[in-house]
Amino acid sequence: MSTFQITDQQLEQVVRHCYQYVAMYNTINNFAMQEANPFSTHGWNKMYIPSGLMNASVKALPTPNNDTLYLISCVDLRDDAVVIEFPAFDSNFVSLETSAYDHYVNIPLSTTKGDFKDRTTMLFYTEHTKGYHGEPVEGVDQTLKMSGNFAIVFLRVAPMAVDPDRMKNNLDAMQTQKLMTLSEYQGKPKLPTSPVEFPTFGLDQTVFKNNFLEVIQFVFNQATFDANDAMDQAVLEIMKPLGIEPGKAFDPQAVAQLDGEQVARVAKGVYEDSVKVWNDPNGNPYLTQCFQPKGQMTLEPMVLQSCMGPVGQPYDQAQYPGVGTADGQPIRSTEHYVIRMTKDQLPPAHAFWSITMYDATNIFFIPNANNKYSVGENGGMKLDENGGIEIHIAPTQPEGVPAENWLPSGEVDQNLVLFMRVYAPDVEAMKTYKAPKVEKV
């Protein structure tokens, strides 16, 4: 069968409208089913409960962080609703985030809203869930209708690592979280699980190259689509001529025969363009538009969030200003750089802030002997006598620089990127805040 003829410009529109599904298909499945992932739940309707902060072994998602503890639940909502009992915490920042394969983000609980002072029981379901349609359930405090059958439900908990006892208490509280199907919650036998065969998942570029249409068909069959949602209708219209529609079985002979190399090349271009926009020297223009619920997103911020950091936080929970270079050139791991901030230039955070370093290709931590990936409250930092800070990026620790303020750039010659995270930000102050520039020493 001949290859389907499509121009790069046409294919770019396909990729841009589908990046959210590819990114989250890989992200959620890597947490649910990737046995090599140290943060895997090892199956659906199961939990990963952390014993400490993330490190360089994490390859399940781009832009991991070691600011917060992640308590991760991966849920399959096809056959039954799922009930989770969330514990109370002694922390300055706790946020419950949910997302399905379509990458729309909900924050149903957060310390910024006054939550997590007491235990909270929540029920999760979709319009496809068998036997449950949103009716009240005794003992359930909140109900959330998800936009897809396979989803991730996870807590970000600032561990308060500066106080070891407080961190231990928060880790202990995580051990008390409970997850069960609705049938189990009501004291009934657990319902049987319908069989499912997942297309191969892994890295985004690998899927774009090898099994893009197969993954999109699978995701379309698990998602819900709104006739009044512009993004939903746009992606359905774009994919229909390629042979992909909700409810169809994937037939490799009946869909368009795309050139995988072309798809991967175009997808890489979309990703690289997103890196530039995210780290725009004048600031990310879509900063407050990312990580929103369904119905509150447009395409450009969706592409950015899917390329740069799946399952991030909306702007009132956390903001992610791009940290670019003063000369506009990429950050090289072999060079020495510095970020300078006076006391008045520190990020306006009600909870805390950090700057984390990654490789520019996969957006993973840089492995190093010190397990040092960020500067901040949990990664360690040392303010100067005037309340400011200098953060150094270099292969070896520069003379006179505290270890807390040094980001080891590793032994591999490569480009690097920096992410600033501002937790529980001062939203008004962030409107005019400008992230610092990286200067070459």
Side-chain angles (χ1 to χ4, degrees):
M1 185 175 293
S2 61
T3 301
F4 185 81
Q5 297 301 310
I6 185 170
T7 67
D8 281 3
Q9 290 75 19
Q10 293 169 325
L11 188 54
E12 181 178 339
Q13 288 306 305
V14 171
V15 168
R16 288 170 61 80
H17 280 83
C18 290
Y19 216 117
Q20 66 196 86
Y21 302 103
V22 172
M24 285 306 289
Y25 178 77
N26 287 322
T27 296
I28 294 177
N29 287 358
N30 270 315
F31 276 115
M33 298 182 287
Q34 176 54 266
E35 293 300 317
N37 174 16
F39 299 89
S40 175
T41 61
H42 301 290
W44 297 97
N45 296 339
K46 296 182 179 181
M47 299 184 295
Y48 162 77
I49 301 178
S51 58
L53 294 165
M54 289 191 176
N55 56 39
S57 67
V58 177
K59 306 294 183 185
L61 79 166
T63 62
N65 80 64
N66 68 333
D67 297 322
T68 56
L69 298 163
Y70 284 77
L71 202 169
I72 301 165
S73 302
C74 293
V75 296
D76 174 359
L77 304 173
R78 296 173 301 148
D79 298 302
D80 202 354
V82 168
V83 177
I84 304 179
E85 296 179 1
F86 297 104
F89 290 100
D90 177 20
S91 173
N92 292 350
F93 184 82
V94 184
S95 177
L96 173 65
E97 181 168 339
T98 68
S99 186
Y101 285 153
D102 54 19
H103 204 184
Y104 296 106
V105 170
N106 286 288
I107 307 292
L109 299 173
S110 174
T111 48
T112 63
K113 304 174 184 179
D115 299 314
F116 295 107
K117 295 176 182 177
D118 301 297
R119 291 184 69 86
T120 304
T121 302
M122 289 195 67
L123 181 149
F124 302 88
Y125 74 108
T126 79
E127 67 180 40
H128 301 308
T129 301
K130 300 172 185 175
Y132 179 80
H133 306 287
E135 59 272 16
V137 174
E138 184 178 355
V140 170
D141 300 309
Q142 292 190 36
T143 300
L144 183 63
K145 186 177 183 180
M146 302 291 291
S147 57
N149 293 336
F150 295 99
I152 188 168
V153 177
F154 67 101
L155 294 175
R156 282 185 177 87
V157 181
M160 314 314 296
V162 292
D163 184 338
D165 290 337
R166 199 173 178 188
M167 181 171 178
K168 181 180 182 304
N169 290 339
N170 284 318
L171 286 167
D172 289 345
M174 287 186 164
Q175 297 292 329
T176 70
Q177 179 166 304
K178 297 179 181 179
L179 183 154
M180 64 212 86
T181 65
L182 176 57
S183 297
E184 291 172 308
Y185 180 74
Q186 295 177 324
K188 305 173 185 177
K190 184 178 179 179
L191 298 177
T193 301
S194 299
V196 59
E197 186 172 342
F198 293 88
T200 302
F201 60 90
L203 297 176
D204 295 349
Q205 297 305 312
T206 303
V207 166
F208 279 119
K209 179 180 178 180
N210 296 332
N211 62 330
F212 170 56
L213 292 183
E214 182 186 15
V215 165
I216 296 302
Q217 181 63 71
F218 180 88
V219 169
F220 273 22
N221 290 346
Q222 305 303 328
T224 58
F225 292 92
D226 186 341
N228 298 313
D229 185 89
M231 286 184 62
D232 275 5
Q233 295 310 304
V235 72
L236 292 176
E237 182 179 349
I238 283 175
M239 297 308 295
K240 186 175 181 179
L242 302 182
I244 304 299
E245 298 179 71
K248 291 178 64 175
F250 179 72
D251 180 353
Q253 301 304 314
V255 299
Q257 302 301 299
L258 297 180
D259 180 350
E261 296 286 352
Q262 182 190 14
V263 179
R265 172 168 50 78
V266 170
K268 183 179 180 183
V270 171
Y271 167 77
E272 291 174 344
D273 289 344
S274 296
V275 172
K276 293 176 184 177
V277 174
W278 192 274
N279 292 315
D280 190 311
N282 297 315
N284 179 353
Y286 301 99
L287 188 65
T288 61
Q289 300 173 42
C290 293
F291 306 114
Q292 298 297 312
K294 189 168 185 174
Q296 300 181 32
M297 290 290 299
T298 55
L299 183 61
E300 188 61 32
M302 177 61 85
V303 174
L304 288 177
Q305 73 182 43
S306 299
C307 288
M308 298 304 298
V311 293
Q313 295 265 282
Y315 73 98
D316 60 335
Q317 296 297 307
Q319 292 193 26
Y320 311 93
V323 181
T325 55
D327 60 8
Q329 298 301 307
I331 303 170
R332 296 296 301 172
S333 59
T334 53
E335 303 291 342
H336 179 191
Y337 301 86
V338 64
I339 301 170
R340 296 183 176 93
M341 289 184 284
T342 66
K343 180 179 180 180
D344 294 335
Q345 294 172 329
L346 296 179
H350 291 309
F352 61 96
W353 62 270
S354 68
I355 291 180
T356 308
M357 185 170 66
Y358 306 94
D359 73 83
T361 301
N362 296 309
I363 324 293
F364 293 150
F365 289 142
I366 305 299
N368 62 89
N370 297 330
N371 288 326
K372 176 70 171 174
Y373 316 110
S374 67
V375 172
E377 179 174 315
N378 292 299
M381 67 177 180
K382 190 172 184 180
L383 302 178
D384 61 34
E385 59 184 9
N386 297 315
I389 193 170
E390 284 193 1
I391 300 171
H392 288 257
I393 302 161
T396 58
Q397 184 175 352
E399 184 177 353
V401 173
E404 295 92 334
N405 297 351
W406 168 47
L407 290 174
S409 55
E411 300 177 352
V412 177
D413 185 0
Q414 61 185 332
N415 287 349
L416 307 173
V417 293
L418 296 171
F419 269 45
M420 175 179 281
R421 292 178 170 89
V422 185
Y423 292 89
D426 182 327
V427 173
E428 285 301 312
M430 286 297 295
K431 291 179 180 179
T432 57
Y433 177 75
K434 297 294 184 183
K437 295 290 191 296
V438 182
E439 301 176 22
K440 191 174 181 180
V441 177

